[in-house]
Amino acid sequence: KPAPTYGNNAKTGRYFATNGIKLYYEIYGQGQPLLLIHGNGGSIRDYRYQIPYFSKYYKVIAVDSRSQGKSVDTSSVLNYEMMADDFAALLSHLKIDSAYVIGWSDGGINGLLLAIRHPEKVKKLAVTGANLRPDTSVISPDGTGMITTELSRLKAGPQDAATRNTIKLLHMMEVEPHISHSDLHSIHCPVLVMGGDFDVI
């Protein structure tokens, strides 16, 4: 059989209306539910090498986060809390009381906030490349400089819908998140936190 086109699979792809947008998701496999959350500017396709593996053992729910992939959001406001609430609503829509969650980069931030804001929805959590603050105490100077430079470049040029959306995503990384240590201590599910030696975070 030809391999499915992850992130654009008409056979399994669905939309769920929530919080003023239509959230796009795809489901693969059987078993305990596993939610995969991608990073900033990404999509379901970023998990194209992980979905075939995990779907052998789990019911994989791969989602395009708000304003990314096929989950279009034309509003000017975007924050991580909105996305975490989107994922909680999707799990409720699918009649899933709790799920395993894997997230990297922004997906890791969203995984943490999902466990903080909707603790009943997260059975176990694995995150990598997630930051608590948007400053150089947690992000390399090269990383913050890259965001600032790219934002300036995009704002100075012509702005179509795609450019405005990219500006919105970059601006969110520039000013968010703000997760306190007390917020982290409210998480009671098992959590695996990973960090790469040469990651920008």
Side-chain angles (χ1 to χ4, degrees):
K1 295 181 180 180
T5 305
Y6 298 114
N8 191 28
N9 189 341
K11 184 176 180 180
T12 187
R14 299 287 184 273
Y15 282 96
F16 166 59
T18 181
N19 300 320
I21 66 162
K22 288 184 178 179
L23 198 68
Y24 180 77
Y25 67 97
E26 297 176 358
I27 295 179
Y28 299 91
Q30 301 291 327
Q32 292 292 312
L34 169 63
L35 177 66
L36 300 180
I37 312 176
H38 62 76
N40 191 293
S43 70
I44 291 170
R45 181 169 165 75
D46 294 341
Y47 278 113
R48 62 192 177 277
Y49 299 116
Q50 288 76 35
I51 292 172
Y53 172 80
F54 283 117
S55 62
K56 295 175 184 176
Y57 310 100
Y58 299 95
K59 178 180 181 178
V60 173
I61 304 145
V63 188
D64 279 346
S65 299
R66 173 184 290 255
S67 295
Q68 294 154 89
K70 298 177 78 172
S71 295
V72 178
D73 174 18
T74 58
S75 70
S76 60
V77 178
L78 180 65
N79 59 56
Y80 293 112
E81 288 78 8
M82 293 166 68
M83 287 190 262
D85 293 347
D86 289 341
F87 301 132
L90 175 62
L91 292 175
S92 294
H93 169 70
L94 296 173
K95 296 179 170 55
I96 294 172
D97 57 358
S98 63
Y100 298 112
V101 180
I102 296 176
W104 65 271
S105 193
D106 275 20
I109 296 168
N110 286 323
L112 292 171
L113 286 171
L114 182 61
I116 291 166
R117 294 170 67 84
H118 306 277
E120 75 285 357
K121 291 299 184 187
V122 185
K123 190 173 296 182
K124 289 184 179 180
L125 173 64
V127 300
T128 182
N131 55 299
L132 304 181
R133 296 179 299 279
D135 57 40
T136 53
S137 67
V138 292
I139 305 174
S140 72
D142 287 345
T144 55
M146 178 181 65
I147 294 171
T148 302
T149 300
E150 185 65 5
L151 268 174
S152 298
R153 185 187 70 80
L154 291 173
K155 288 178 179 178
Q159 296 181 17
D160 58 11
T163 302
R164 289 192 297 273
N165 194 68
T166 301
I167 290 172
K168 181 170 65 172
L169 288 166
L170 288 172
H171 175 68
M172 182 177 67
M173 284 199 298
E174 185 181 39
V175 299
E176 293 192 20
H178 296 281
I179 301 174
S180 68
H181 289 151
S182 61
D183 289 335
L184 289 182
H185 284 297
S186 72
I187 299 175
H188 296 294
C189 69
V191 182
L192 171 64
V193 178
M194 295 168 277
D197 287 344
F198 302 103
D199 195 350
V200 69
I201 303 298

